[in-house]
Amino acid sequence: MLQVQGKLVEISPQELAFTAVDIQAYAHQVGLKVEASEAEELFNKTQGWVGGICLLLQLVQRQPNVPMAHWLERRESDALLYDYFLREWLSEHPLELKDFLVKTSFLPLIRSDLCQALFHKSMEKPLQLLFSYQLFVYPVEKKGMVYHPSFKHYLQSEFKRQYSLDEQNLFYAQLSSLLREEFCDEATEYAFEAQDYDKVAENLNVFKKPLLQTFRYQTLQNYLEKLPETYRKSHPEWQILLAEVFHLQELCLCFVWWEFYSVARQNIIHN
């Protein structure tokens, strides 16, 4: 209602992001000299993510003899930035928060109901903590929050370092079941990650009809072709479906060409 009345203004993450000029100005404000080219590179690296920029400049301040170019090397600065976050920020909060962060980084949306289903208990406290800091997340169309892409990458890398391959596969299978009803594409990708092809088949059974109804033949074909050939041979229904989808793709192509031919023909006739 306030927004309709013009009393509430919604600010997007893009509007909150620093530009290269903002980065240079902020660096000057905290006593650092950053060249225009370096500010531009830092912007390209972070997409203006204020939290990441502030943390990276804090690292530069702590080691003034190290040139900025060293920090702008992607692999080096990413690792240092994440290590700094773990040491400085997470040290002030329970260890459970780290587990919350690394696991929710795989969710398409950080949302209360999804978090509760993932951890089998209320996660309101870490959600409130995450939202109150807002260094690493931003809202998405009033549906939930997402991590900044760079930070999401850090968290997922940390998850893979922290958990064994078997534990990762179990987690991916859990995610696949959790997301199947609402996020079919992500659910299927996680089932593939877990190499749980029976679960992939379960997911395909749930949403193959919507994919066909919305003419997403290529998406369905990609999933079917991604199944190992040995699995398809032992489950001939998927081999048959793949052939049918391929045939539908050909029919669509013929239809498109026929429409193009019909329009061109009408133009020639009328001219």
Side-chain angles (χ1 to χ4, degrees), residues 20-37:
V21 175
D22 294 330
I23 293 171
Q24 213 174 359
Y26 177 74
H28 177 74
Q29 187 178 343
V30 297
L32 293 172
K33 183 179 180 181
V34 175
E35 301 295 337
S37 59

Side-chain angles (χ1 to χ4, degrees), residues 237-254:
E237 67 272 19
W238 298 116
Q239 195 74 27
I240 293 169
L241 180 60
L242 178 59
E244 290 174 344
V245 170
F246 185 75
H247 182 58
L248 285 171
Q249 293 267 64
E250 289 184 322
L251 287 175
C252 281
L253 186 60
C254 291

Side-chain angles (χ1 to χ4, degrees), residues 208-225 241-242 244-253 255:
K208 67 181 179 183
K209 186 175 180 180
L211 286 178
L212 291 170
Q213 289 173 334
T214 54
F215 304 101
R216 293 180 61 193
Y217 302 138
Q218 188 61 55
T219 300
L220 185 54
Q221 182 180 329
N222 291 342
Y223 286 143
L224 292 169
E225 289 178 340
L241 180 60
L242 178 59
E244 290 174 344
V245 170
F246 185 75
H247 182 58
L248 285 171
Q249 293 267 64
E250 289 184 322
L251 287 175
C252 281
L253 186 60
F255 177 76

Side-chain angles (χ1 to χ4, degrees), residues 161-214:
R161 188 192 67 80
Q162 183 176 339
Y163 291 94
S164 69
L165 187 59
D166 287 341
E167 289 172 324
Q168 291 177 40
N169 288 340
L170 285 172
F171 180 67
Y172 293 142
Q174 179 191 1
L175 280 172
S176 181
S177 298
L178 170 63
L179 300 175
R180 184 168 60 196
E181 297 300 325
E182 189 177 355
F183 302 96
C184 58
D185 291 331
E186 289 85 350
T188 305
E189 289 299 331
Y190 286 133
F192 275 116
E193 284 283 346
Q195 298 183 359
D196 188 339
Y197 302 118
D198 287 334
K199 191 169 288 293
V200 171
E202 288 178 16
N203 292 345
L204 290 177
N205 275 323
V206 169
F207 65 81
K208 67 181 179 183
K209 186 175 180 180
L211 286 178
L212 291 170
Q213 289 173 334
T214 54

Side-chain angles (χ1 to χ4, degrees), residues 54-148:
C54 292
L55 286 176
L56 190 54
L57 291 180
Q58 285 180 36
L59 285 172
V60 175
Q61 282 181 309
R62 292 189 173 198
Q63 299 189 46
N65 295 325
V66 179
M68 176 63 77
H70 172 80
W71 302 106
L72 291 174
E73 291 179 12
R74 172 116 193 139
R75 187 173 298 176
E76 181 73 15
S77 60
D78 282 358
L80 288 169
L81 182 63
Y82 187 56
D83 288 343
Y84 178 81
F85 169 75
L86 287 178
R87 185 171 59 253
E88 298 294 327
W89 199 79
L90 284 181
S91 62
E92 301 174 6
H93 302 96
L95 289 176
E96 290 80 2
L97 182 59
K98 179 180 178 181
D99 193 54
F100 173 83
L101 291 172
V102 297
K103 288 184 176 178
T104 54
S105 68
F106 290 91
L107 292 175
L109 280 176
I110 308 168
R111 211 172 59 197
S112 179
D113 59 327
L114 292 176
C115 292
Q116 182 166 341
L118 185 62
F119 292 95
H120 307 293
K121 62 180 181 179
S122 174
M123 302 304 291
E124 289 302 321
K125 286 186 177 179
L127 279 169
Q128 289 172 2
L129 185 63
L130 195 63
F131 185 75
S132 66
Y133 278 88
Q134 288 195 355
L135 279 173
F136 313 106
V137 295
Y138 53 84
V140 178
E141 299 176 354
K142 301 178 182 178
K143 296 178 182 178
M145 298 181 290
V146 294
Y147 291 111
H148 184 277

